[in-house]
Amino acid sequence: MFLEFKKEVEHVLKEALKKASYDYEELDLDLDLEESEHADIASRIAFSLARTYKKPPEIIAADIANHLNLEIPAENTLISDAAAAGPYINFYVNEFFLHKTLQKIKDGEPAEEKKKGKIIIEHTSANPDGPLHIGHLRNAIIGDVLVRVLKRAGFDVETHYYVNDMGRQIAVAVWGAERIAFATNKKADHAVADVYIAANRLVEENGEFLKDVEKLMRKYESEDEAAVKKYEAVVKKCLSGTQASLERLNIRHDSFVWESGFVRGGAVEEVMEELKQKGNVKFDGSALLLKLEGIEKELVIQRTDGTSLYTTRDLAYHRWKSDRCDRVIDVFGKDHELVSQQLTKALEILGVKVPEFVIFEFVSLPTGSLSTRAGRYIAADELMEKIEERAYEEVAKRREDLDEGKKHEIARKVGIGALRYDMVKVSSDKHITFVFDDALDIEKKGAPFIQYSHARACSILRAAEERGFSIADDYDASLRKESSEKELIKMLAGFENIVEEAASELKPHLVAKYARELAESFNLFYKDCPVLNADEGIRKARLVLVDCAKTVLSDVLDVLGIESPEEM
RNA sequence: GGGGUCGUAGGGUAGUGGAUAUCCUGUCAGGUUCCGGACCUGAUAACCUGGGUUCGAAUCCCAGCGACUCCGCCA
């Protein structure tokens, strides 16, 4: 509803500017509208007019305000009032706006198809040689929230997990599996990691083994049947574990795309040939280098022995993706920033539409940066386990009345929710230090705070039903007088706007911030405004509001990939 | 050495040119005859330094300092 309000403000303001003879169009000036704590929307245009018309902005603002025509019948406008406040022109919503906002939420999503095109988004894509750790978790959760935001904003979204099955690391793991048995009592990805780490040690100790590994890699690249079977067994085993972890986090990918497919299908070969023709390439011995504009270092696209490299294979993958959608989005760690630039330049040479990158900064531990080798990492599974345990303690403390199954279910929703919220609430270009105890501290104003508001709303609605109160449309909106109920409705009206913003700027943390503010707003309303104990008229009006708040709280949590428990 | 990102109360964090800088946490002081206190209210306390652009800078530019990171015929 906020967007409709903004449109009307634009219209009314433009009319006033014309009447007051300000040539904003000629001057190519923006109306400079912003949300503000002083008004529902404010315009700062007087500042920019001040220069041209050589008058103080306060005078101009007052002048424009005097020319505003707000004599519109109440059912045709969303504006109640507008006035100059110093150099600003402030606009306020009316009762009809509040009423329409609730009605729209109650009626649900309009059936109109708002197809905005197809997006392929790649995220997580961890090497299949071990379990996910907290670094991957940030990638996965940022990626998943972005997917949900974009879907909600009307895009057709397909999610990819790119499987790096051609690297040396995987080869070591596969080689290791030939001689070391997988532990049978461990989750699949953890069992693979054990073998990989043990194999790594062997290879480091004995140079002969390294040759075996390289032989295996060549066999795999040339599609040797036995090698392919061995690879598939190990990679699929590991991925099954990864998928289980992601599932637990409420994350699912639409498809897993194997890197090797692009080598085997000849796509990599094609890319290299085309780059030779279109790009500025040169040989260094028999290795092939590609000069990229604006990047100091040449990109090696073919090894001396003629085999392909990761980057080349990634180019083939991106071309393939690009043919299948309107926009390509990659969620990459900060360490891939240079790679992303190289990718972009090389794709431009190939005439392929370039991807958009969401780069997130690193996660480190208080003891230093993450390092699988040094054993400085926290496995995602371990973290989820611990946080659910912690959540269970909290639930058990508060809800002795519930049975075990119910308590565990709530603990799972609260624990995973807290984890997900923690990972998206911070802007992705911010480096974060992961402190285990802080993450486990569920008391902070994170997901549980928002879930609690939702549970409260549910609780009121449940009690209303028990007492036989119905949620009806025939309420009297004029009985709504408390500022906290009006503020809450305005917050509800802003939801779609926030989704749009998060989608266009690819900033998932905006949604997290909004969710918290909405919950805050609901809690203030809850404090100020009795619902069930109010007089019938007021009760009716407030029940509708509670119902709508519940809907939006649950919607925003869903966009964050967090479940909304009805009680907790 | 070269490039990039970041620097906001004791710790963490929002805010990409405009009104009194957001929120959490910490510390201190309060609040429930009422629908769930995982809640609410108040106090405390911050824009790294130095220049510049601008009517106006946390925000843009330059320099410095600090943190992290990238600069493989690895992935």
Side-chain angles (χ1 to χ4, degrees):
Chain A
M1 243 3 248
F2 183 78
L3 295 170
E4 285 89 335
F5 173 61
K6 189 170 176 182
K7 257 187 205 159
E8 198 193 337
V9 167
E10 271 171 29
H11 176 74
V12 168
L13 184 56
K14 280 180 185 173
E15 293 288 308
L17 283 163
K18 265 183 226 159
K19 270 203 221 155
S21 327
Y22 288 107
D23 230 349
Y24 74 97
E25 267 173 332
E26 198 76 3
L27 298 163
D28 198 28
L29 290 178
D30 192 59
L31 294 178
D32 214 358
L33 299 179
E34 62 161 4
E35 288 176 68
S36 156
E37 52 188 307
H38 307 277
D40 296 317
I41 284 186
S43 171
R44 296 179 298 216
I45 193 168
F47 282 111
S48 23
L49 290 169
R51 183 185 308 256
T52 326
Y53 290 89
K54 306 224 184 311
K55 281 195 278 186
E58 296 79 14
I59 306 280
I60 295 178
D63 187 24
I64 295 169
N66 282 335
H67 285 85
L68 285 168
N69 175 21
L70 298 171
E71 306 290 310
I72 309 166
E75 64 275 15
N76 288 329
T77 181
L78 301 171
I79 303 173
S80 71
D81 194 17
Y88 303 90
I89 306 165
N90 291 335
F91 294 87
Y92 304 90
V93 298
N94 64 8
E95 292 296 333
F96 187 57
F97 170 90
L98 301 178
H99 174 70
K100 286 286 279 185
T101 296
L102 295 187
Q103 207 168 51
K104 212 173 151 188
I105 295 166
K106 274 200 66 162
D107 293 347
E109 277 300 279
E112 59 165 314
E113 293 271 320
K114 41 175 183 176
K115 281 271 186 260
K116 290 188 185 163
K118 176 161 178 181
I119 297 178
I120 292 181
I121 174 165
E122 176 203 337
H123 70 78
T124 313
S125 303
N127 287 336
D129 56 13
L132 300 176
H133 59 62
I134 47 174
H136 302 124
L137 227 48
R138 191 171 193 198
N139 187 325
I141 293 169
I142 287 174
D144 186 59
V145 174
L146 225 33
V147 168
R148 291 164 184 270
V149 164
L150 291 167
K151 279 184 180 164
R152 179 94 198 184
F155 291 96
D156 179 14
V157 186
E158 185 178 315
T159 333
H160 281 194
Y161 187 113
Y162 187 51
V163 182
N164 299 117
D165 61 330
M166 299 222 38
R168 172 160 290 142
Q169 292 156 37
I170 305 308
V172 169
V174 174
W175 174 84
E178 288 176 349
R179 54 188 63 214
I180 304 163
F182 288 117
T184 50
N185 59 345
K186 278 196 172 179
K187 191 160 161 286
D189 45 349
H190 293 260
V192 170
D194 288 349
V195 167
Y196 168 63
I197 290 164
N200 236 326
R201 206 167 296 137
L202 288 175
V203 171
E204 272 170 24
E205 283 165 7
N206 189 335
E208 285 302 305
F209 290 155
L210 191 61
K211 286 180 190 159
D212 290 345
V213 170
E214 280 166 1
K215 204 194 280 175
L216 186 63
M217 283 174 77
R218 280 194 297 275
K219 276 190 180 170
Y220 186 57
E221 184 149 354
S222 66
E223 221 175 338
D224 174 272
E225 210 175 305
V228 170
K229 255 191 188 147
K230 285 181 205 163
Y231 261 77
E232 281 189 351
V234 174
V235 172
K236 281 183 178 163
K237 182 178 174 70
C238 189
L239 285 178
S240 73
T242 305
Q243 271 177 281
S245 302
L246 290 173
E247 184 77 28
R248 190 168 176 186
L249 278 165
N250 206 9
I251 298 174
R252 278 163 290 275
H253 287 81
D254 295 315
S255 70
F256 286 70
V257 182
W258 292 47
E259 188 182 10
S260 53
F262 297 98
V263 179
R264 307 254 174 73
V268 170
E269 189 64 34
E270 275 172 40
V271 164
M272 283 199 279
E273 283 309 314
E274 212 170 315
L275 283 174
K276 276 184 210 168
Q277 284 165 25
K278 296 182 179 169
N280 180 4
V281 293
K282 68 172 186 190
F283 282 95
D284 177 10
S286 50
L288 198 57
L289 308 182
L290 175 69
K291 176 72 189 136
L292 294 171
E293 197 196 326
I295 297 175
E296 202 63 41
K297 194 98 179 147
E298 288 101 352
L299 178 67
V300 181
I301 57 172
Q302 188 175 4
R303 288 200 188 94
T304 303
D305 67 3
T307 57
S308 64
L309 284 106
Y310 164 81
T311 326
T312 333
R313 300 191 287 263
D314 215 10
L315 284 172
Y317 171 45
H318 275 84
R319 170 138 86 177
W320 180 80
K321 277 199 278 199
S322 187
D323 288 341
R324 283 162 182 74
C325 65
D326 304 301
R327 289 169 68 189
V328 177
I329 298 176
D330 293 336
V331 182
F332 279 1
K334 188 73 185 167
D335 55 338
H336 278 55
E337 197 167 41
L338 181 62
V339 169
S340 72
Q341 285 163 13
Q342 291 170 328
L343 210 50
T344 299
K345 295 287 176 193
L347 288 170
E348 276 169 2
I349 293 173
L350 292 169
V352 171
K353 116 180 116 260
V354 301
E356 298 158 62
F357 297 98
V358 175
I359 304 272
F360 65 94
E361 260 288 6
F362 264 56
V363 181
S364 62
L365 295 173
T367 48
S369 52
L370 295 178
S371 162
T372 312
R373 261 185 216 183
R376 269 203 314 273
Y377 69 96
I378 294 172
D381 293 317
E382 183 194 350
L383 179 54
M384 288 189 272
E385 203 56 52
K386 289 242 168 85
I387 205 161
E388 284 186 19
E389 269 171 33
R390 239 338 267 284
Y392 179 81
E393 286 169 24
E394 296 298 325
V395 177
K397 208 157 66 187
R398 293 163 223 259
R399 299 298 302 270
E400 288 175 354
D401 57 312
L402 295 176
D403 64 59
E404 283 305 301
K406 195 81 191 165
K407 277 192 270 191
H408 276 107
E409 186 196 327
I410 293 168
R412 183 183 59 76
K413 289 177 180 174
V414 169
I416 297 297
L419 177 57
R420 286 191 60 123
Y421 192 87
D422 213 48
M423 284 283 172
V424 279
K425 71 177 182 192
V426 180
S427 161
S428 48
D429 54 16
K430 211 90 170 183
H431 171 261
I432 54 180
T433 301
F434 189 87
V435 182
F436 217 139
D437 286 339
D438 285 357
L440 294 181
D441 187 358
I442 295 190
E443 299 269 67
K444 295 189 179 172
K445 249 186 197 173
F449 174 79
I450 303 155
Q451 289 170 319
Y452 181 66
S453 299
H454 176 265
R456 271 179 152 179
C458 289
S459 168
I460 291 177
L461 295 171
R462 253 194 323 267
E465 206 182 320
E466 279 164 19
R467 298 189 204 179
F469 301 153
S470 63
I471 299 166
D473 261 333
D474 62 331
Y475 62 90
D476 181 358
S478 70
L479 294 172
R480 231 169 359 229
K481 295 211 163 63
E482 290 295 324
S483 70
S484 62
E485 44 190 340
K486 293 186 182 177
E487 285 308 312
L488 175 58
I489 300 173
K490 288 185 204 170
M491 277 302 297
L492 297 174
F495 178 50
E496 296 303 323
N497 193 36
I498 286 290
V499 170
E500 287 291 324
E501 214 174 309
S504 66
E505 293 179 36
L506 302 179
K507 286 183 176 171
H509 76 276
L510 297 179
V511 181
K513 183 170 177 259
Y514 170 81
R516 198 201 62 226
E517 288 169 349
L518 176 59
E520 251 162 24
S521 186
F522 181 78
N523 283 335
L524 287 179
F525 160 78
Y526 185 92
K527 187 80 184 168
D528 282 359
C529 305
V531 179
L532 301 176
N533 302 323
D535 293 340
E536 188 181 356
I538 298 178
R539 187 185 70 220
K540 273 182 157 176
R542 288 184 180 166
L543 265 178
V544 171
L545 176 50
V546 171
D547 190 38
C548 289
K550 180 206 147 191
T551 302
V552 178
L553 280 165
S554 147
D555 283 357
V556 71
L557 282 169
D558 184 59
V559 171
L560 292 169
I562 298 170
E563 294 183 71
S564 313
E566 304 241 321
E567 57 176 326
M568 60 190 277

